[in-house]
Amino acid sequence: MREISSFFTPSRQSPIAILIFLIKFLRVTVRQGWAGVISLAVFFRRVEFSEWFLYVGVIVIMALYVFFSIYSYLKFYYYLKEGEIVIKKGIFTKTTINLPFEKIQTIDFKQNLIQQIFGVVEFAIDSAGSKKQEVSLSALPLDMAEQLREYILEEKKSLISENVEDIESSAEATKAPKSILRLSVPDLLKVGITQNHIKSLGLILVFFFGLLDQVRKLTEETDLDENQFEETVNSYFEETLITWIWLFSIAFLLFVPVVVSLVTTVFKYFDMQLLLGNDGLKLKSGLLNKKQKSTTLRKIQTVSWGWNPLQYLIGFFTIKIYPATASSIKVKNILTIPGSRAEQINKLLETLGFTEKSQNLKGHRMSPLYYIRAFWIIGLIPAIIIGTILFYFFTWNALFALLWPAFILTESYIEYKKWRLLVNEHVLKIRHGLFGLHYKLIYWHKIQAIKISQSPYQRRKNLATVVCFQAGHQMRIPYISIDLARQIEQYALYQIETDKAGWM
């Protein structure tokens, strides 16, 4: 294992970083210019002696990519210095990044297939004061990365005041990481089957129509006449039985999204483990691209869990853990844990201290004016306007537009019935949902700011909407009485002013 003192000397990454840089350059080219590359290749095929010219061009471009990859590797240094990590890099523009330990939010490990083969990881650091990742080391040996992260987090901990009470003390006795949850292969397949298939269908349709658009552009740039293209397509459909077209469409809509969801779930959550250690929670998952997210216990500000109807049938929940961040929280910051069961949720809440402090909760409901207002504004009025226009073209068939306000009334009433605000002197808990049911739980003292807003309609009805702001996250409490809203505001401000827990 590498000596800690060696981290204070400017060092390069593993030489595997050259290959990583090369792949990144190629990936940027493919993502941003693949249509242009195809169009250029089609153009060259129409020019004499283009074949050898194309080969020479590819060789020259690849040589440039290899040169810049090696040069980037040689100009990239990292080292530790007086409570900070320093990065020096740049090809044409030299850049130096000095990142103090106390500003580091999270240190995550990522591994794509190449990095797994060569036993290296991407050392990714998120820090306060930046909307994007500031520091990323593309190729560090795993043992070296673990050692470096442990040292940085220990140094950061020593810089933070220790005379505070926080929930992290409950984990001090743990010497080795303890598994809270591990997703088995059968459970992984169940998670894939119960995912959001509508999202997968949308991605497929976007890809399909994008591909058609690219084909149309290519036909405009080649010798294939547009009329010939249309005649070819029309003749194909004329020769195909309409029954088979319908069968294929139904199979596509029902089967393919499920397969896509299943495959993406397996690749994303393969061998998923949630571990509890002295330094907090670690979430490991991934097949070809392995990722390791981590957060200290004191930085966890919101925990949510819930299920959709498919997950309910097999007793699965999806947990989401929201750590404190300096900027608006993004999906990559959230620890998403699918395939959880009720006992695992209870174990996690107990670990985070929520179970003990969630007793004797008092419930509050939103005003029934929530769904009545939605029925009029979103449902009935638009239906009358659109139905009147459609009546001119379709006569009495336009009455089907009245199905829309019925749908809005049903949907908003279900939301109203399921919604609850549960509070005591320690926590806020919100229950909500439409087709499923979801819970969200936070501590009062982790609210950083609070806002009460009222529309003209809410002012007339003595109602308000409360928004609780946290570090990079917010929670909305709609359509409650103005008196309750002011009580929440006053108690939250009291907790903000008096609580001395250094949880950031």
Side-chain angles (χ1 to χ4, degrees):
M1 184 172 288
R2 188 174 180 179
E3 294 291 334
I4 291 296
S5 59
S6 63
F7 287 121
F8 290 85
T9 303
S11 305
R12 294 192 180 101
Q13 304 175 76
S14 167
I16 305 303
I18 297 174
L19 181 58
I20 304 298
F21 288 147
L22 178 60
I23 293 174
K24 286 183 178 179
F25 288 145
L26 293 173
R27 186 180 300 165
V28 170
T29 301
V30 172
R31 283 182 177 177
Q32 298 182 0
W34 67 272
V37 171
I38 294 176
S39 301
L40 192 62
V42 172
F43 171 77
F44 279 146
R45 290 185 63 87
R46 299 171 57 188
V47 180
E48 294 182 3
F49 58 81
S50 62
E51 187 170 343
W52 68 265
F53 187 77
L54 180 61
Y55 292 153
V56 171
V58 170
I59 293 173
V60 170
I61 292 174
M62 288 302 300
L64 288 174
Y65 280 163
V66 171
F67 170 77
F68 283 121
S69 300
I70 297 174
Y71 194 70
S72 297
Y73 165 75
L74 295 175
K75 292 297 182 180
F76 194 109
Y77 292 93
Y78 73 95
Y79 58 95
L80 305 180
K81 183 186 74 171
E82 298 176 358
E84 63 183 16
I85 183 170
V86 181
I87 302 292
K88 292 186 176 182
K89 61 180 180 177
I91 300 178
F92 302 107
T93 302
K94 307 300 180 184
T95 302
T96 301
I97 299 174
N98 296 74
L99 182 57
F101 293 160
E102 61 265 27
K103 289 190 176 182
I104 292 175
Q105 297 290 329
T106 59
I107 300 177
D108 298 328
F109 294 168
K110 301 177 183 178
Q111 276 186 307
N112 57 32
L113 184 59
I114 299 297
Q115 289 165 328
Q116 291 180 53
I117 292 174
F118 291 98
V120 298
V121 298
E122 179 183 350
F123 190 87
I125 301 177
D126 274 340
S127 65
S130 176
K131 291 185 179 181
K132 61 181 182 178
Q133 221 167 61
E134 278 197 36
V135 173
S136 177
L137 306 177
S138 299
L140 286 185
L142 180 58
D143 57 344
M144 187 185 301
E146 290 278 8
Q147 188 180 8
L148 181 59
R149 179 171 67 177
E150 183 179 346
Y151 176 79
I152 291 176
L153 293 179
E154 286 296 327
E155 287 296 306
K156 177 186 175 182
K157 188 183 298 184
S158 67
L159 296 173
I160 300 174
S161 176
E162 295 296 333
N163 48 350
V164 295
E165 283 185 348
D166 61 54
I167 59 176
E168 203 166 24
S169 60
S170 63
E172 288 298 325
T174 306
K175 298 302 181 183
K178 180 175 63 175
S179 177
I180 295 180
L181 183 149
R182 184 164 190 168
L183 204 59
S184 65
V185 174
D187 284 345
L188 180 65
L189 298 178
K190 293 177 184 178
V191 168
I193 294 173
T194 58
Q195 289 298 296
N196 186 352
H197 305 309
I198 296 178
K199 179 179 178 181
S200 299
L201 177 61
L203 292 174
I204 293 170
L205 293 178
V206 167
F207 173 78
F208 178 73
F209 286 115
L211 183 62
L212 285 182
D213 182 64
Q214 293 299 328
V215 171
R216 187 179 296 108
K217 288 181 180 179
L218 289 177
T219 58
E220 293 173 357
E221 298 172 1
T222 60
D223 292 331
L224 183 60
D225 185 74
E226 185 175 349
N227 293 330
Q228 294 176 343
F229 179 74
E230 292 181 357
E231 290 175 3
T232 302
V233 174
N234 291 335
S235 63
Y236 171 77
F237 281 106
E238 289 173 358
E239 295 172 1
T240 305
L241 295 176
I242 193 67
T243 304
W244 286 107
I245 296 176
W246 277 107
L247 289 175
F248 176 79
S249 300
I250 294 172
F252 180 86
L253 293 174
L254 296 179
F255 179 71
V256 175
V258 176
V259 173
V260 171
S261 296
L262 184 60
V263 172
T264 54
T265 299
V266 170
F267 275 83
K268 186 175 181 180
Y269 295 112
F270 181 79
D271 195 29
M272 189 195 72
Q273 299 179 63
L274 181 64
L275 303 171
L276 172 65
N278 287 335
D279 54 348
L281 291 175
K282 293 181 183 179
L283 181 63
K284 301 179 179 180
S285 64
L287 183 58
L288 298 182
N289 291 310
K290 290 188 176 181
K291 295 183 179 181
Q292 183 183 128
K293 296 181 180 180
S294 61
T295 182
T296 57
L297 296 184
R298 84 164 80 192
K299 283 178 54 182
I300 296 173
Q301 56 183 1
T302 303
V303 177
S304 71
W305 64 97
W307 44 259
N308 60 38
L310 289 176
Q311 292 171 330
Y312 176 76
L313 292 176
I314 57 177
F316 271 3
F317 296 82
T318 296
I319 304 173
K320 291 187 178 181
I321 299 174
Y322 298 78
T325 59
S327 57
S328 179
I329 200 163
K330 299 180 181 179
V331 175
K332 70 181 183 64
N333 302 116
I334 302 171
L335 276 65
T336 301
I337 310 161
S340 307
R341 300 190 183 274
E343 59 270 18
Q344 293 164 332
I345 295 175
N346 294 333
K347 185 177 181 180
L348 178 63
L349 293 179
E350 185 177 356
T351 299
L352 300 178
F354 279 114
T355 302
E356 179 184 355
K357 296 184 177 180
S358 297
Q359 308 299 319
N360 302 318
L361 293 169
K362 182 179 179 181
H364 301 276
R365 303 182 71 166
M366 70 168 74
S367 169
L369 292 175
Y370 172 81
Y371 70 86
I372 297 173
R373 180 76 167 170
F375 169 72
W376 281 97
I377 301 300
I378 304 176
L380 189 59
I381 294 177
I384 292 174
I385 296 173
I386 296 174
T388 302
I389 297 173
L390 293 177
F391 183 79
Y392 179 79
F393 298 99
F394 304 104
T395 63
W396 295 109
N397 291 327
L399 291 176
F400 283 105
L402 296 178
L403 294 175
W404 174 249
F407 168 77
I408 291 297
L409 179 62
T410 303
E411 178 264 346
S412 56
Y413 180 75
I414 293 174
E415 283 191 282
Y416 160 75
K417 290 291 288 184
K418 289 185 176 182
W419 194 91
R420 291 289 188 282
L421 171 64
L422 305 163
V423 297
N424 63 15
E425 66 272 22
H426 302 293
V427 300
L428 296 88
K429 184 177 182 181
I430 286 184
R431 188 187 78 180
H432 65 97
L434 179 57
F435 299 109
L437 197 62
H438 303 272
Y439 296 88
K440 186 173 287 188
L441 192 58
I442 67 171
Y443 284 105
W444 282 103
H445 72 271
K446 294 195 176 184
I447 297 174
Q448 292 193 324
I450 194 165
K451 180 180 76 172
I452 295 178
S453 62
Q454 286 182 293
S455 67
Y457 176 79
Q458 288 177 319
R459 280 195 294 270
R460 292 197 305 271
K461 301 297 183 179
N462 291 320
L463 299 173
T465 294
V466 178
V467 181
C468 302
F469 295 93
Q470 298 177 290
H473 181 60
Q474 64 185 43
M475 186 171 69
R476 187 169 176 268
I477 307 173
Y479 272 76
I480 58 175
S481 69
I482 185 63
D483 293 334
L484 177 59
R486 287 171 179 159
Q487 291 176 23
I488 292 173
E489 179 188 42
Q490 292 170 5
Y491 189 73
L493 292 175
Y494 169 76
Q495 288 288 331
I496 293 171
E497 292 294 330
T498 60
D499 192 87
K500 294 181 172 58
W503 59 275
M504 275 292 288

